[in-house]
mmCIF file of all heavy atoms in Angstrom:
data_model
loop_
_atom_site.group_PDB
_atom_site.id
_atom_site.type_symbol
_atom_site.label_atom_id
_atom_site.label_comp_id
_atom_site.label_asym_id
_atom_site.label_seq_id
_atom_site.Cartn_x
_atom_site.Cartn_y
_atom_site.Cartn_z
ATOM 1 N N ARG A 5 1.800 -4.504 31.996
ATOM 2 C CA ARG A 5 2.331 -5.600 32.853
ATOM 3 C C ARG A 5 1.080 -6.487 33.384
ATOM 4 O O ARG A 5 0.087 -5.946 33.758
ATOM 5 C CB ARG A 5 3.003 -5.034 34.166
ATOM 6 C CG ARG A 5 4.465 -4.971 34.027
ATOM 7 C CD ARG A 5 5.005 -4.322 35.245
ATOM 8 N NE ARG A 5 6.484 -4.383 35.231
ATOM 9 C CZ ARG A 5 7.114 -5.404 35.668
ATOM 10 N NH1 ARG A 5 6.527 -6.334 36.234
ATOM 11 N NH2 ARG A 5 8.429 -5.401 35.605
ATOM 12 N N ILE A 11 5.997 -16.155 38.838
ATOM 13 C CA ILE A 11 7.475 -15.959 39.123
ATOM 14 C C ILE A 11 8.275 -16.731 38.093
ATOM 15 O O ILE A 11 9.362 -16.355 37.735
ATOM 16 C CB ILE A 11 7.783 -16.370 40.591
ATOM 17 C CG1 ILE A 11 9.185 -15.900 40.898
ATOM 18 C CG2 ILE A 11 7.677 -17.907 40.838
ATOM 19 C CD1 ILE A 11 9.444 -15.674 42.340
ATOM 20 N N LEU A 23 21.323 -14.449 29.042
ATOM 21 C CA LEU A 23 21.904 -15.080 27.920
ATOM 22 C C LEU A 23 22.207 -14.073 26.717
ATOM 23 O O LEU A 23 23.256 -14.107 26.083
ATOM 24 C CB LEU A 23 21.097 -16.269 27.386
ATOM 25 C CG LEU A 23 21.062 -17.473 28.366
ATOM 26 C CD1 LEU A 23 20.110 -18.580 27.822
ATOM 27 C CD2 LEU A 23 22.566 -18.053 28.413
ATOM 28 N N THR A 35 34.916 -9.364 18.377
ATOM 29 C CA THR A 35 35.159 -8.461 17.229
ATOM 30 C C THR A 35 36.150 -7.413 17.629
ATOM 31 O O THR A 35 37.022 -7.070 16.789
ATOM 32 C CB THR A 35 33.924 -7.872 16.683
ATOM 33 O OG1 THR A 35 33.269 -7.259 17.781
ATOM 34 C CG2 THR A 35 33.028 -8.909 16.065
ATOM 35 N N GLY A 67 42.719 -9.037 6.579
ATOM 36 C CA GLY A 67 42.298 -8.137 7.589
ATOM 37 C C GLY A 67 40.886 -7.695 7.565
ATOM 38 O O GLY A 67 40.433 -6.853 8.332
ATOM 39 N N ALA A 80 8.961 -8.526 8.853
ATOM 40 C CA ALA A 80 10.012 -7.503 8.676
ATOM 41 C C ALA A 80 11.393 -8.228 8.665
ATOM 42 O O ALA A 80 12.220 -8.045 9.379
ATOM 43 C CB ALA A 80 9.997 -6.535 9.819
ATOM 44 N N GLY A 139 46.659 -0.605 -2.322
ATOM 45 C CA GLY A 139 46.333 -1.256 -1.062
ATOM 46 C C GLY A 139 45.084 -0.765 -0.449
ATOM 47 O O GLY A 139 44.568 -1.343 0.545
ATOM 48 N N SER A 142 37.783 0.234 -1.554
ATOM 49 C CA SER A 142 36.443 0.926 -1.504
ATOM 50 C C SER A 142 35.450 -0.256 -1.262
ATOM 51 O O SER A 142 35.483 -1.274 -1.924
ATOM 52 C CB SER A 142 36.164 1.445 -2.943
ATOM 53 O OG SER A 142 37.185 2.426 -3.240
ATOM 54 N N ASP A 155 4.458 -1.097 -2.263
ATOM 55 C CA ASP A 155 5.588 -0.140 -2.387
ATOM 56 C C ASP A 155 6.565 -0.681 -3.345
ATOM 57 O O ASP A 155 6.818 -1.891 -3.269
ATOM 58 C CB ASP A 155 6.218 -0.076 -0.951
ATOM 59 C CG ASP A 155 7.426 0.797 -0.965
ATOM 60 O OD1 ASP A 155 7.555 1.677 -1.844
ATOM 61 O OD2 ASP A 155 8.175 0.687 0.007
ATOM 62 N N PHE A 227 31.766 6.750 -4.304
ATOM 63 C CA PHE A 227 32.631 6.481 -5.403
ATOM 64 C C PHE A 227 33.478 5.233 -4.959
ATOM 65 O O PHE A 227 33.370 4.773 -3.823
ATOM 66 C CB PHE A 227 33.621 7.595 -5.617
ATOM 67 C CG PHE A 227 34.601 7.763 -4.428
ATOM 68 C CD1 PHE A 227 35.941 7.260 -4.668
ATOM 69 C CD2 PHE A 227 34.309 8.472 -3.393
ATOM 70 C CE1 PHE A 227 36.853 7.338 -3.605
ATOM 71 C CE2 PHE A 227 35.280 8.613 -2.358
ATOM 72 C CZ PHE A 227 36.543 8.048 -2.469
ATOM 73 N N PHE A 238 25.458 7.621 -8.148
ATOM 74 C CA PHE A 238 24.407 8.700 -7.902
ATOM 75 C C PHE A 238 23.267 8.057 -7.269
ATOM 76 O O PHE A 238 22.954 6.924 -7.337
ATOM 77 C CB PHE A 238 23.983 9.377 -9.212
ATOM 78 C CG PHE A 238 25.100 10.195 -9.731
ATOM 79 C CD1 PHE A 238 25.942 9.736 -10.743
ATOM 80 C CD2 PHE A 238 25.367 11.554 -9.215
ATOM 81 C CE1 PHE A 238 26.991 10.477 -11.257
ATOM 82 C CE2 PHE A 238 26.333 12.243 -9.773
ATOM 83 C CZ PHE A 238 27.206 11.837 -10.756
ATOM 84 N N ASP A 245 15.467 8.752 -14.055
ATOM 85 C CA ASP A 245 14.283 8.278 -13.411
ATOM 86 C C ASP A 245 14.551 6.912 -12.839
ATOM 87 O O ASP A 245 15.508 6.209 -13.139
ATOM 88 C CB ASP A 245 12.980 8.326 -14.299
ATOM 89 C CG ASP A 245 12.889 7.281 -15.300
ATOM 90 O OD1 ASP A 245 13.111 6.093 -14.996
ATOM 91 O OD2 ASP A 245 12.629 7.742 -16.427
ATOM 92 N N ASP A 281 38.672 -13.779 -5.369
ATOM 93 C CA ASP A 281 37.379 -13.953 -6.107
ATOM 94 C C ASP A 281 36.148 -13.551 -5.427
ATOM 95 O O ASP A 281 35.023 -13.644 -5.935
ATOM 96 C CB ASP A 281 37.312 -15.348 -6.721
ATOM 97 C CG ASP A 281 37.257 -16.394 -5.532
ATOM 98 O OD1 ASP A 281 37.344 -15.949 -4.408
ATOM 99 O OD2 ASP A 281 37.190 -17.626 -5.839
ATOM 100 N N THR A 314 8.770 -31.896 -15.743
ATOM 101 C CA THR A 314 9.393 -31.433 -16.973
ATOM 102 C C THR A 314 8.673 -32.020 -18.164
ATOM 103 O O THR A 314 9.025 -31.684 -19.317
ATOM 104 C CB THR A 314 10.863 -31.969 -17.134
ATOM 105 O OG1 THR A 314 10.958 -33.242 -16.643
ATOM 106 C CG2 THR A 314 11.798 -31.093 -16.235
ATOM 107 N N ASP A 331 10.901 0.091 -22.039
ATOM 108 C CA ASP A 331 12.041 1.094 -21.910
ATOM 109 C C ASP A 331 13.166 0.996 -22.947
ATOM 110 O O ASP A 331 14.049 1.738 -22.866
ATOM 111 C CB ASP A 331 12.593 1.087 -20.535
ATOM 112 C CG ASP A 331 11.586 1.480 -19.474
ATOM 113 O OD1 ASP A 331 10.449 1.799 -19.817
ATOM 114 O OD2 ASP A 331 12.001 1.564 -18.251
ATOM 115 N N ASP A 334 17.608 -1.445 -26.478
ATOM 116 C CA ASP A 334 18.993 -1.320 -25.984
ATOM 117 C C ASP A 334 19.894 -2.218 -26.975
ATOM 118 O O ASP A 334 19.504 -3.241 -27.191
ATOM 119 C CB ASP A 334 19.106 -1.732 -24.574
ATOM 120 C CG ASP A 334 20.535 -1.701 -24.078
ATOM 121 O OD1 ASP A 334 21.305 -2.687 -24.261
ATOM 122 O OD2 ASP A 334 20.858 -0.591 -23.446
ATOM 123 N N VAL A 337 21.330 -5.358 -24.726
ATOM 124 C CA VAL A 337 20.305 -6.240 -23.974
ATOM 125 C C VAL A 337 19.177 -6.658 -24.829
ATOM 126 O O VAL A 337 18.856 -7.859 -24.921
ATOM 127 C CB VAL A 337 19.832 -5.412 -22.727
ATOM 128 C CG1 VAL A 337 18.773 -6.303 -21.997
ATOM 129 C CG2 VAL A 337 20.969 -5.129 -21.802
ATOM 130 N N ILE A 341 17.925 -10.553 -25.815
ATOM 131 C CA ILE A 341 16.603 -10.968 -25.505
ATOM 132 C C ILE A 341 15.964 -11.601 -26.839
ATOM 133 O O ILE A 341 15.327 -12.607 -26.818
ATOM 134 C CB ILE A 341 15.809 -9.883 -24.967
ATOM 135 C CG1 ILE A 341 16.181 -9.711 -23.427
ATOM 136 C CG2 ILE A 341 14.283 -10.173 -25.049
ATOM 137 C CD1 ILE A 341 15.576 -8.468 -22.815
ATOM 138 N N ASN A 369 13.749 -3.050 -36.384
ATOM 139 C CA ASN A 369 13.531 -3.839 -37.633
ATOM 140 C C ASN A 369 13.843 -5.359 -37.300
ATOM 141 O O ASN A 369 13.068 -6.279 -37.900
ATOM 142 C CB ASN A 369 14.406 -3.425 -38.717
ATOM 143 C CG ASN A 369 13.732 -2.197 -39.442
ATOM 144 O OD1 ASN A 369 12.526 -2.266 -39.694
ATOM 145 N ND2 ASN A 369 14.543 -1.170 -39.706
ATOM 146 N N HIS A 381 5.648 3.594 -25.606
ATOM 147 C CA HIS A 381 5.828 3.766 -24.188
ATOM 148 C C HIS A 381 6.217 5.226 -23.876
ATOM 149 O O HIS A 381 6.886 5.474 -22.978
ATOM 150 C CB HIS A 381 6.919 2.812 -23.679
ATOM 151 C CG HIS A 381 7.010 2.638 -22.159
ATOM 152 N ND1 HIS A 381 5.934 2.490 -21.478
ATOM 153 C CD2 HIS A 381 8.090 2.584 -21.350
ATOM 154 C CE1 HIS A 381 6.382 2.367 -20.163
ATOM 155 N NE2 HIS A 381 7.597 2.447 -20.079
ATOM 156 N N ILE A 396 0.851 15.461 -23.469
ATOM 157 C CA ILE A 396 0.505 13.959 -23.467
ATOM 158 C C ILE A 396 0.385 13.507 -24.964
ATOM 159 O O ILE A 396 1.028 12.571 -25.351
ATOM 160 C CB ILE A 396 -0.785 13.743 -22.791
ATOM 161 C CG1 ILE A 396 -0.652 14.005 -21.296
ATOM 162 C CG2 ILE A 396 -1.261 12.231 -22.963
ATOM 163 C CD1 ILE A 396 -1.927 13.840 -20.499
ATOM 164 N N ASP A 441 -0.102 -7.878 -15.162
ATOM 165 C CA ASP A 441 -0.511 -8.434 -13.892
ATOM 166 C C ASP A 441 0.648 -9.102 -13.114
ATOM 167 O O ASP A 441 0.581 -9.361 -11.956
ATOM 168 C CB ASP A 441 -1.727 -9.487 -14.009
ATOM 169 C CG ASP A 441 -1.283 -10.631 -14.845
ATOM 170 O OD1 ASP A 441 -0.776 -10.464 -15.994
ATOM 171 O OD2 ASP A 441 -1.435 -11.722 -14.398
ATOM 172 N N ASP A 443 4.409 -8.180 -12.229
ATOM 173 C CA ASP A 443 5.528 -7.233 -12.174
ATOM 174 C C ASP A 443 6.726 -7.936 -11.627
ATOM 175 O O ASP A 443 6.834 -8.255 -10.520
ATOM 176 C CB ASP A 443 5.107 -6.058 -11.316
ATOM 177 C CG ASP A 443 6.123 -4.901 -11.425
ATOM 178 O OD1 ASP A 443 7.163 -5.142 -12.062
ATOM 179 O OD2 ASP A 443 5.843 -3.852 -10.842
ATOM 180 N N TYR A 449 15.781 -5.434 -8.762
ATOM 181 C CA TYR A 449 16.666 -6.400 -8.162
ATOM 182 C C TYR A 449 17.928 -6.737 -8.999
ATOM 183 O O TYR A 449 18.908 -7.225 -8.484
ATOM 184 C CB TYR A 449 15.845 -7.676 -7.814
ATOM 185 C CG TYR A 449 14.849 -7.381 -6.778
ATOM 186 C CD1 TYR A 449 13.531 -7.173 -6.935
ATOM 187 C CD2 TYR A 449 15.364 -7.205 -5.453
ATOM 188 C CE1 TYR A 449 12.679 -6.981 -5.929
ATOM 189 C CE2 TYR A 449 14.513 -6.938 -4.427
ATOM 190 C CZ TYR A 449 13.169 -6.785 -4.609
ATOM 191 O OH TYR A 449 12.347 -6.487 -3.629
ATOM 192 N N LYS A 464 -0.080 -16.827 -14.436
ATOM 193 C CA LYS A 464 -1.282 -17.751 -14.648
ATOM 194 C C LYS A 464 -1.667 -17.656 -16.082
ATOM 195 O O LYS A 464 -1.140 -16.747 -16.881
ATOM 196 C CB LYS A 464 -2.426 -17.338 -13.718
ATOM 197 C CG LYS A 464 -2.857 -15.891 -13.747
ATOM 198 C CD LYS A 464 -4.027 -15.719 -12.726
ATOM 199 C CE LYS A 464 -4.713 -14.387 -13.031
ATOM 200 N NZ LYS A 464 -3.865 -13.234 -12.779
ATOM 201 N N GLN A 476 20.879 -6.001 -18.177
ATOM 202 C CA GLN A 476 21.558 -7.202 -18.514
ATOM 203 C C GLN A 476 20.948 -8.417 -17.736
ATOM 204 O O GLN A 476 20.789 -9.509 -18.259
ATOM 205 C CB GLN A 476 23.015 -7.001 -18.231
ATOM 206 C CG GLN A 476 23.921 -8.166 -18.681
ATOM 207 C CD GLN A 476 23.824 -8.463 -20.192
ATOM 208 O OE1 GLN A 476 23.804 -7.501 -20.968
ATOM 209 N NE2 GLN A 476 23.594 -9.759 -20.543
ATOM 210 N N GLU A 483 16.170 -16.836 -20.228
ATOM 211 C CA GLU A 483 16.317 -18.271 -20.663
ATOM 212 C C GLU A 483 15.546 -19.269 -19.755
ATOM 213 O O GLU A 483 14.708 -20.073 -20.207
ATOM 214 C CB GLU A 483 17.783 -18.669 -20.796
ATOM 215 C CG GLU A 483 18.072 -20.133 -21.114
ATOM 216 C CD GLU A 483 17.839 -20.493 -22.583
ATOM 217 O OE1 GLU A 483 18.293 -19.742 -23.456
ATOM 218 O OE2 GLU A 483 17.232 -21.525 -22.848
#
Side-chain angles (χ1 to χ4, degrees):
R5 260 176 174 273
I11 188 156
L23 285 176
T35 52
S142 300
D155 179 19
F227 71 97
F238 290 97
D245 77 46
D281 62 358
T314 45
D331 297 359
D334 177 275
V337 179
I341 286 174
N369 280 314
H381 196 44
I396 296 174
D441 64 305
D443 188 350
Y449 292 105
K464 54 180 196 295
Q476 186 58 43
E483 172 77 46

